[in-house]
Amino acid sequence: METLSRRALNRATLERQLLLRRAKMSAFDAVEHLAGLQAQAPFPPYFALWSRLHGFRPADLADLLESRQVVRIALMRGTVHLVTAADALAWRPVVQVLYERDLKTNTQHAPALAGLDHAAVASAARELLSRSPLSSTALGAALAEKWDVPAASLTHLARARLPLVQTPPRAIWGKAGQTTYACLDEWVGEPLPPPSPASLIARYLRAFGPASVADVQAWAGITRLGEVAASMDLKRYRDPDGRELLDLPELTVPDEDVPAPPRLLGPFDQMILSFADRTRVISDAYRKRVITQNGLVKGTLLVGGQVRGFWELRKERKAAVVELSPFEKLPKRDLGALESAAGRLVEWAEPAAETREVRILAPE
């Protein structure tokens, strides 16, 4: 069994995540190819596509959300992802076990929900949402008229039992709106199919592989996928620590010496969140500086295929400023490339700003 170096794994991940070179594909095709995008906050998916696609415009993604071709929905790991409507339909049944488990273990809501007929509450919530999208507060208040349970707990149950999408104008570039929900199948006009864990594993490997079963499970947030993977026709490698890695038979790994150009990755970028062993793209020490204690994930500087710092976009009066914070001294050529990319980023993200500036801070 071939052993892949950490650098080879890095280059494979970059290639499949469209980060070795910007891709010439539509926003829809990119969302599908990438197995969705992290979307805990409304706008990180736009930055993710800007980093990966030639000529990406915010309207390209906003139009897909408004036409219901892509949706925002809690999926893998219980976090919100932006995925194609077809992937949302296919994947929510697979990860439903995660939400069922949470209903029994959630310390805030499980005690209040223990004596309820969960199916009845979910059915009532579906009926309410079929009339119009509702906010969490409105949905909980309506359910609390029938059940003497805290409204927040009833909403939590509905989100767990039903495949709820967040509806526009939430996450439409340049707009603001509170989170409102609708049922996925009614929103896109298609039923949910039976769960297919093997299909989910294959899509993960196409976007992130080669990877271990532990990596797939860390991304999906569910367990017992080793049994499914063992039944699949997969290519197998070893990593430098001897762990088995899986891949699709038709896919190859690029040469480890392929150049990896400097990149700015957006906040919450999935490339650093989708593995059990993240050292292929970020060291453990640097991960602690990028992911905050309250779970925020900063935009990052990618040099040589590895995270070497973070960036932040802020507004100061009438100016838009991108601040680059390297963790170490970087080669002048790479730092210059990052500065140039930051200039393009601030122009793209803040076209109406009177002035734009890029600042580079000295490593601490």
Side-chain angles (χ1 to χ4, degrees), residues 77-99:
R77 306 185 304 286
T79 59
V80 178
H81 283 70
L82 186 148
V83 298
T84 67
D87 284 341
L89 291 165
W91 296 349
R92 180 56 195 256
V94 181
V95 301
Q96 181 60 31
V97 293
L98 172 69
Y99 297 93

Side-chain angles (χ1 to χ4, degrees), residues 169-181:
R170 181 71 169 173
I172 299 300
W173 187 267
K175 296 183 180 180
Q178 69 176 144
T179 302
T180 56
Y181 295 100

Side-chain angles (χ1 to χ4, degrees), residues 223-237:
T223 58
R224 303 185 67 178
L225 293 181
E227 303 167 15
V228 180
S231 69
M232 299 172 65
D233 177 22
L234 297 172
K235 189 185 299 184
R236 286 170 165 78
Y237 300 98

Side-chain angles (χ1 to χ4, degrees), residues 103 108-113 116 121 140 143 149-159:
L103 285 175
Q108 181 180 356
H109 299 295
L113 299 173
L116 290 185
V121 176
L143 292 172
V149 171
S153 295
L154 293 168
T155 301
H156 182 79
L157 191 158
R159 281 199 296 256

Side-chain angles (χ1 to χ4, degrees), residues 256-317:
E256 66 177 32
D257 292 327
V258 170
R263 286 275 189 267
L264 300 181
L265 300 186
F268 293 100
D269 196 277
Q270 64 195 45
M271 200 181 76
I272 60 173
L273 295 174
S274 300
F275 299 93
D277 178 6
R278 302 176 186 179
T279 56
R280 68 172 70 190
V281 292
I282 186 170
S283 70
D284 291 336
Y286 286 173
R287 178 164 53 88
K288 295 174 182 177
R289 300 179 67 178
V290 166
I291 302 176
T292 67
Q293 289 185 342
N294 58 355
L296 298 179
V297 184
K298 299 175 181 178
T300 51
L301 313 179
L302 206 63
V303 176
Q306 288 278 328
V307 172
R308 307 290 187 188
F310 64 83
W311 64 268
E312 295 177 289
L313 173 62
R314 59 168 57 94
K315 295 180 181 179
E316 298 179 0
R317 296 183 181 178

Side-chain angles (χ1 to χ4, degrees), residues 35-347:
L37 299 167
Q38 294 283 143
Q40 292 99 313
F43 303 118
Y46 292 87
F47 289 92
L49 293 179
W50 177 85
S51 298
R52 291 164 166 87
L53 300 182
H54 273 291
F56 171 72
R57 301 174 303 122
D60 298 338
L61 183 55
D63 290 347
L64 295 175
L65 280 163
E66 291 183 320
S67 64
R68 309 187 187 188
Q69 296 179 69
V70 303
V71 296
R72 288 168 49 83
I73 181 172
L75 284 173
M76 288 73 72
R77 306 185 304 286
T79 59
V80 178
H81 283 70
L82 186 148
V83 298
T84 67
D87 284 341
L89 291 165
W91 296 349
R92 180 56 195 256
V94 181
V95 301
Q96 181 60 31
V97 293
L98 172 69
Y99 297 93
E100 295 292 347
R101 183 172 65 244
D102 180 72
L103 285 175
K104 299 176 182 177
T105 60
N106 186 285
T107 56
Q108 181 180 356
H109 299 295
L113 299 173
L116 290 185
D117 182 338
H118 289 191
V121 176
S123 178
R126 177 178 281 277
E127 170 62 25
L128 289 165
L129 294 170
S130 68
R131 303 171 193 167
S132 174
L134 294 173
S135 68
S136 294
T137 301
L139 177 60
L143 292 172
E145 292 179 3
K146 185 172 183 180
W147 286 277
D148 186 20
V149 171
S153 295
L154 293 168
T155 301
H156 182 79
L157 191 158
R159 281 199 296 256
R161 290 296 298 265
L162 298 174
L164 299 187
V165 296
Q166 297 185 6
T167 62
R170 181 71 169 173
I172 299 300
W173 187 267
K175 296 183 180 180
Q178 69 176 144
T179 302
T180 56
Y181 295 100
C183 286
L184 167 66
D185 45 335
E186 296 181 357
W187 183 251
V188 302
E190 296 286 344
L192 277 73
S196 175
S199 296
L200 186 69
I201 292 171
R203 289 294 302 283
Y204 173 83
L205 294 175
R206 189 170 294 280
F208 296 101
S212 68
V213 169
D215 289 325
V216 185
Q217 293 183 159
W219 172 75
I222 57 178
T223 58
R224 303 185 67 178
L225 293 181
E227 303 167 15
V228 180
S231 69
M232 299 172 65
D233 177 22
L234 297 172
K235 189 185 299 184
R236 286 170 165 78
Y237 300 98
R238 294 281 182 198
D239 74 3
D241 298 318
R243 289 173 292 217
E244 184 180 66
L245 302 174
L246 309 175
D247 205 6
L248 299 181
E250 68 271 19
L251 299 184
T252 59
V253 175
D255 189 284
E256 66 177 32
D257 292 327
V258 170
R263 286 275 189 267
L264 300 181
L265 300 186
F268 293 100
D269 196 277
Q270 64 195 45
M271 200 181 76
I272 60 173
L273 295 174
S274 300
F275 299 93
D277 178 6
R278 302 176 186 179
T279 56
R280 68 172 70 190
V281 292
I282 186 170
S283 70
D284 291 336
Y286 286 173
R287 178 164 53 88
K288 295 174 182 177
R289 300 179 67 178
V290 166
I291 302 176
T292 67
Q293 289 185 342
N294 58 355
L296 298 179
V297 184
K298 299 175 181 178
T300 51
L301 313 179
L302 206 63
V303 176
Q306 288 278 328
V307 172
R308 307 290 187 188
F310 64 83
W311 64 268
E312 295 177 289
L313 173 62
R314 59 168 57 94
K315 295 180 181 179
E316 298 179 0
R317 296 183 181 178
K318 297 180 180 180
V321 179
V322 174
E323 200 167 76
L324 307 182
S325 299
F327 295 150
E328 59 195 65
K329 185 175 175 59
L330 299 175
K332 288 184 178 180
R333 182 176 180 178
D334 292 333
L335 197 58
L338 291 171
E339 183 177 15
S340 178
R344 295 191 298 274
L345 174 65
V346 70
E347 184 175 354

